Amino acid sequence: MIPGEFEYRRPSSKAEALTMLAAAGDGGRLLAGGHSLIPMMKLRMATPTTLVDLRRLDELRSVTISDTIAIGAAVTQHEIIVHDGLTEACPILRETALLIADPQVRYCGTLGGNVGNGDPGNDMPAVMQCLDADYVVESVGGTRIVKAREFYQGAYFTALLPGEIISEIRIRRPAIGHGFAYTKLKRKVGDYATAAAAVMLELAGGKVRSASIALTNVAPTPLYATEAVAVIADTALDIEHINAAVRAAEAITDPSADGRGSAEYRRSMAGVMVRRALEKAKARAV
């Protein structure tokens, strides 16, 4: 094949898609919304020999809600936004989806694409770490479960092996009355985050019974802020403990300087986003 030439395949089932992907070997790539893959192809960061189109596979577009929320990888950001059941069960998903790019992108961009390609600027990976989500990973060889907190290995490097796809994302349904927030600083509509933070909280007797905090685009991977969570555990989440959590979150960041600001500025903005998310989640918790 000449550079930039590829074979386009449109499977009629998930099983057929997995077979096509396996046959393509290292040159196979998945196409759903295309908003992650196509820019990478333009920059020659991805040079697939085979594109396997998942857009018409209803098997990957289902949403089920019980004690576990299961979302097919081909569900779009727009579908998340307008799904009343998802908004009621896990409102941080809608809050985050509304901050992704712009409406045109959200109509096509999928949850699986957002979490699956390892782009540190994508918003949903940190939210999935915050929710302690599981990714259902499939290939012709079988199925395995990979935790979101263990999936990301470096910028554009993940735990996915050749021939594997994320087919579903599973989340334990948050408790009724939980607090949540996704706060994001960006230069303009449609831009990646300068820094962003996801927070989930449960309060009991005015104290933090459980919490999780994760960060977007301030390191080569999304960051789960273990120490920041430990700082606020079993506290009233007063200003002293919020300050301590902010310092702990900033300490794990490793941002690069770019058009969004210096490394020092982006690290500081990560702390600001954590503070705002903690305050907002606390106000929402009942």
Side-chain angles (χ1 to χ4, degrees), residues 194-212:
T194 299
V199 167
M200 296 285 288
L201 287 176
E202 291 181 35
L203 302 181
K207 292 190 174 183
V208 176
R209 179 169 63 185
S210 68
S212 56

Side-chain angles (χ1 to χ4, degrees), residues 110-182:
T110 63
L111 180 59
N114 198 273
V115 303
N117 78 329
D119 187 335
N122 284 350
D123 294 284
M124 284 294 184
V127 173
M128 293 304 152
Q129 290 190 339
C130 192
L131 291 166
D132 197 17
D134 293 322
Y135 298 160
V136 180
V137 175
E138 296 189 54
S139 69
V140 292
T143 302
R144 63 190 181 107
I145 306 296
V146 182
K147 299 197 75 62
R149 295 177 187 175
E150 300 170 358
F151 184 78
Y152 302 97
Q153 301 173 352
Y156 303 102
F157 288 93
T158 71
L160 279 181
L161 301 175
E164 288 186 326
I165 69 170
I166 297 175
S167 61
E168 188 175 76
I169 294 89
R170 295 176 183 170
I171 304 161
R172 180 179 64 85
R173 182 171 180 161
I176 294 174
H178 72 279
F180 67 93
Y182 187 69

Side-chain angles (χ1 to χ4, degrees), residues 19-203:
T19 299
M20 290 177 178
L21 193 62
D26 291 342
R29 295 297 296 267
L30 301 171
L31 178 68
H35 290 289
S36 295
L37 177 60
I38 292 173
M40 292 176 69
M41 291 173 65
K42 288 181 177 179
L43 294 170
R44 297 296 188 263
M45 294 174 66
T47 54
T49 58
T50 303
L51 289 182
V52 180
D53 190 340
L54 305 178
R55 286 177 293 177
R56 295 190 177 184
L57 299 186
D58 289 341
E59 297 164 90
L60 300 178
R61 300 182 68 89
S62 64
V63 175
T64 59
I65 302 172
S66 57
D67 290 341
T68 297
I69 299 168
I71 307 172
V75 172
T76 67
Q77 309 297 344
H78 174 73
E79 288 167 338
I80 289 172
I81 290 167
V82 300
H83 196 293
D84 291 340
L86 275 180
T87 297
E88 179 182 2
C90 191
I92 196 173
L93 295 176
R94 182 176 189 273
E95 180 159 277
T96 304
L98 281 167
L99 293 174
I100 293 173
D102 54 48
Q104 291 172 309
V105 169
R106 295 194 290 264
Y107 272 107
C108 296
T110 63
L111 180 59
N114 198 273
V115 303
N117 78 329
D119 187 335
N122 284 350
D123 294 284
M124 284 294 184
V127 173
M128 293 304 152
Q129 290 190 339
C130 192
L131 291 166
D132 197 17
D134 293 322
Y135 298 160
V136 180
V137 175
E138 296 189 54
S139 69
V140 292
T143 302
R144 63 190 181 107
I145 306 296
V146 182
K147 299 197 75 62
R149 295 177 187 175
E150 300 170 358
F151 184 78
Y152 302 97
Q153 301 173 352
Y156 303 102
F157 288 93
T158 71
L160 279 181
L161 301 175
E164 288 186 326
I165 69 170
I166 297 175
S167 61
E168 188 175 76
I169 294 89
R170 295 176 183 170
I171 304 161
R172 180 179 64 85
R173 182 171 180 161
I176 294 174
H178 72 279
F180 67 93
Y182 187 69
T183 56
K184 179 178 181 179
L185 176 65
K186 54 185 177 179
R187 296 174 299 179
K188 59 183 177 60
V189 172
D191 193 17
Y192 285 119
T194 299
V199 167
M200 296 285 288
L201 287 176
E202 291 181 35
L203 302 181

Side-chain angles (χ1 to χ4, degrees), residues 253-274:
T253 65
D254 183 24
S256 58
D258 61 13
R260 297 171 184 86
S262 67
E264 181 180 3
Y265 171 75
R266 295 182 67 191
R267 181 177 296 109
S268 178
M269 289 304 99
V272 171
M273 293 302 104
V274 169

